Amino acid sequence: MPPMESHEPPPLRAVWARRLCDLCLTCLVFTCGWVLMMLEMLGARMLAPSFGTDIQVWGSVIGVFLLALSLGYYLGGRLSTAFPKAVALTGLLLPCALWIGVLPWLHRPLNTWLFDFWVVHRDGGEQWGALAAAILLFLIPSVLLGTVSPFAIRLAATDVGSVGERAGLLYAVSTLGSFLGCMVTSFWLIVWLGVDRILQLHAVLLAAAAVAFLAAWHALKRGLQP
Amino acid sequence: MTKWALAACLPFCFAGCGLRSEEVLHERESRYHYIRVTQAGAERTLAFRRAGSDCRESVIDTKDPLRLVLPYTERMFAGFLFVPEPRDILMVGLGGGVCPRVMTHYFPEARCDVIELDPAVLDIAKEYFGFEEGPRIHVTIRDGRVGVKVLGRKGARYDLILLDAFRAGYIPYHLTTREFLEECRQLLRPGGVLVSNLWPSLMLYEYERRTMATVFEEQYAFGRWGNTIVVCLQERRGLTPEDLLARADEITLRRNLRFRLVDVAADLVPNQDYEPGGDILTDDFAPANVLNSIPRE
């Protein structure tokens, strides 16, 4: 990306390309925010058949997601410094989509196995089973989703003066996506589709968003070249 | 005219207030519920809500503890029409402990295991509702689904399973699904039955009945108003209403029942009272509380 010179106005084409790049990033963080909360809302549903619906089950799911975001923010920040390319972001999101797509086949056998191993044979409390299941099922995809925000800020940043504004916008859009993902999943999708179908749908959505983002980003970057 | 009508109604209003004057014996916020124990006359009530109609979970008559005050508790005895000599009973959801206490009174040879989520409910059943654990009644504090799964893995078997963990206003959805009913079915001895307390005026009822139909061979529903008690059988028996009445008579005599089991048997819902085609509830798809807020046409 060519540095923008402050003493002469950038060409109109570059301004528009820049705005479209921002739009691509906002769409991507919106989708990732949405998918994250969709997964979190379904998380407790996936654990309930083996571990119940106690507040400890909910606490485990929410706690694991927060821990994952913390890790994801850190790792995303580090990676964005080492490798500030859009392709890296897509490379983080495709395994995440794959994981979410495989979850429908994964969560029942894993929960049943954990239940037998821990609750039945060791007489352990089911809340610890729920926590272990939440870590095994949700930590990795939510770490990967957590890397998106710092990465997107790095890609959006053009100069130090505007970085706060861009970061603020991306956080706002990402969290708006989370809000809508949360509401739509719990109010409508759960009534229409069922857990496994919702997961598959979002795996496809996330993969498509990651690939579309990369394609659009490269097209715009080519457009920016003089 | 209106004034006179009002004046005429006044004494009845006061009479109503007099009847409803209740004393709060105990009130507390537990981990899962807001628990309220009240006494009005000889009737002592357990409620899981601060206020609102139809929130009575358990009611006992303190002067006559064997009297089944809430009509649905009599209907919960419908399972005995199919299993007149039960050895092992499992109850999911304790409430005031009326069913386990009265059932083991009339069927003294039976053992009763109870799974209850909230330890505070057990304390209150003991303190205010004359419930006692003992060699024949054993309570496990656990989520119903987890409890049933553990019992299944340990090879426990029952003749009668009673599901009553669905309180007005909130349905634990993981206790409504096909997978849960299958786990219950695996706990049943041959000839055993599952008895479930349902609320027929809401959409959830249709879904629950259809789900039961996918797991069990035959269902008998009792109670044409108020709660409907559904008895699910593993194998088809094809009992007629007359057979059920004869069995009710026989059990009433043999067991010296203090209530009319014949009336329960006579309250058999005659035909299939739900739409057989349509979605069922599974662990994957169970919008139980949404369905529980939609009235049936």
Side-chain angles (χ1 to χ4, degrees):
Chain A
M1 169 171 50
M4 300 223 175
E5 303 296 330
S6 53
H7 52 267
E8 66 184 60
L12 198 60
R13 205 169 62 116
V15 171
W16 274 101
R18 188 68 242 161
R19 282 186 187 160
L20 287 171
C21 280
D22 283 353
L23 183 68
C24 286
L25 281 169
T26 39
C27 287
L28 189 72
V29 296
F30 179 86
T31 309
C32 293
W34 175 300
V35 170
L36 184 84
M37 279 315 289
M38 174 284 303
L39 192 60
E40 187 166 335
M41 293 313 293
L42 296 186
R45 284 241 155 192
M46 287 182 250
L47 301 188
S50 293
F51 306 108
T53 55
D54 195 275
I55 191 161
Q56 289 172 331
V57 175
W58 270 105
S60 299
V61 172
I62 295 170
V64 165
F65 272 79
L66 289 173
L67 179 70
L69 284 182
S70 166
L71 288 168
Y73 292 153
Y74 177 75
L75 292 173
R78 290 287 298 267
L79 275 170
S80 74
T81 306
F83 198 59
K85 297 262 171 19
V87 68
L89 191 47
T90 301
L92 289 167
L93 288 176
L94 287 179
C96 178
L98 183 68
W99 189 289
I100 293 171
V102 172
L103 267 182
W105 289 276
L106 199 64
H107 68 91
R108 267 177 272 271
L110 182 98
N111 287 340
T112 307
W113 180 80
L114 262 175
F115 179 83
D116 284 334
F117 172 78
W118 179 249
V119 182
V120 178
H121 295 125
R122 319 243 149 165
D123 218 12
E126 52 266 27
Q127 68 274 31
W128 301 109
L131 180 61
I135 291 171
L136 291 172
L137 291 171
F138 310 128
L139 189 74
I140 289 175
S142 43
V143 165
L144 291 171
L145 288 169
T147 61
V148 173
S149 284
F151 223 109
I153 290 167
R154 172 65 187 85
L155 294 180
T158 48
D159 60 282
V160 176
S162 69
V163 75
E165 192 186 332
R166 285 173 191 277
L169 175 75
L170 289 172
Y171 274 127
V173 169
S174 163
T175 306
L176 187 69
S178 291
F179 164 71
L180 289 173
C182 178
M183 300 312 283
V184 170
T185 304
S186 56
F187 276 54
W188 290 286
L189 293 179
I190 214 78
V191 182
W192 291 338
L193 294 173
V195 174
D196 291 351
R197 190 60 55 81
I198 301 172
L199 288 170
Q200 288 158 351
L201 189 76
H202 281 86
V204 172
L205 177 78
L206 183 63
V211 171
F213 162 76
L214 187 62
W217 187 267
H218 278 293
L220 289 166
K221 287 290 149 182
R222 265 198 303 278
L224 266 178
Q225 308 276 312
Chain B
M1 220 21 217
T2 325
K3 262 185 208 163
W4 284 110
L6 275 175
C9 285
L10 263 175
F12 296 103
C13 295
F14 283 121
C17 294
L19 277 174
R20 297 180 83 202
S21 80
E22 50 174 35
E23 187 196 347
V24 178
L25 300 181
H26 187 88
E27 213 168 1
R28 78 198 258 199
E29 184 93 44
S30 81
R31 182 160 160 182
Y32 303 97
H33 303 296
Y34 186 80
I35 300 175
R36 197 175 141 98
V37 181
T38 52
Q39 178 108 25
E43 285 192 1
R44 186 171 289 177
T45 301
L46 172 69
F48 286 159
R49 280 202 251 169
R50 276 160 221 258
S53 60
D54 199 26
C55 58
R56 300 191 299 174
E57 303 297 331
S58 279
V59 181
I60 60 162
D61 184 336
T62 43
K63 295 209 178 101
D64 181 8
L66 281 181
R67 185 164 82 90
L68 297 167
V69 184
L70 292 179
Y72 97 88
T73 36
E74 290 185 356
R75 288 181 203 148
M76 289 296 274
F77 278 72
F80 296 106
L81 297 172
F82 304 86
V83 189
E85 312 272 335
R87 278 177 294 154
D88 295 284
I89 301 172
L90 174 68
M91 175 118 203
V92 181
L94 176 70
V98 175
C99 281
R101 179 170 55 79
V102 179
M103 282 173 181
T104 47
H105 170 84
Y106 288 125
F107 296 85
E109 74 279 18
R111 276 193 73 258
C112 187
D113 285 335
V114 183
I115 304 171
E116 166 59 44
L117 179 66
D118 191 344
V121 169
L122 175 60
D123 292 343
I124 277 159
K126 285 177 177 168
E127 201 177 332
Y128 293 97
F129 292 86
F131 177 75
E132 281 169 50
E133 284 185 89
R136 291 191 296 122
I137 301 185
H138 179 251
V139 181
T140 308
I141 296 298
R142 206 156 222 186
D143 176 272
R145 182 80 189 254
V146 176
V148 162
K149 252 192 159 103
V150 168
L151 287 170
R153 298 292 202 278
K154 301 205 161 151
R157 291 293 177 268
Y158 296 89
D159 305 296
L160 203 58
I161 298 179
L162 301 137
L163 300 183
D164 190 17
F166 318 111
R167 82 184 135 102
Y170 178 75
I171 303 293
Y173 77 91
H174 60 313
L175 304 184
T176 63
T177 64
R178 183 186 66 209
E179 289 87 343
F180 174 64
L181 293 176
E182 276 162 1
E183 285 162 13
C184 286
R185 190 194 155 117
Q186 282 166 12
L187 283 180
L188 287 174
R189 292 205 178 98
V193 301
L194 175 112
V195 180
S196 187
N197 175 18
L198 304 182
W199 192 249
S201 58
L202 300 169
M203 263 321 264
L204 183 64
Y205 181 80
E206 300 259 338
Y207 283 72
E208 294 202 283
R209 291 296 301 275
R210 281 199 289 270
T211 310
M212 287 168 172
T214 63
V215 177
F216 292 94
E217 277 294 307
E218 199 177 18
Q219 299 177 33
Y220 293 80
F222 299 88
R224 277 169 280 192
W225 49 268
N227 301 55
T228 295
I229 303 299
V230 182
V231 181
C232 300
L233 279 63
Q234 290 169 297
E235 54 211 35
R236 193 165 288 280
R237 301 234 201 117
L239 296 176
T240 63
E242 291 73 35
D243 294 337
L244 294 172
L245 286 174
R247 281 167 173 239
D249 252 338
E250 193 192 317
I251 294 166
T252 310
L253 277 175
R254 274 200 52 205
R255 302 285 178 174
N256 253 325
L257 297 187
R258 295 251 320 270
F259 65 95
R260 292 176 53 81
L261 188 58
V262 177
D263 289 349
V264 173
D267 208 9
L268 178 72
V269 179
N271 298 310
Q272 180 173 279
D273 63 333
Y274 63 95
E275 189 60 49
D279 285 334
I280 61 163
L281 302 167
T282 64
D283 280 349
D284 188 56
F285 175 81
N289 286 294
V290 176
L291 295 169
N292 201 43
S293 61
I294 306 171
R296 271 169 94 195
E297 291 101 61

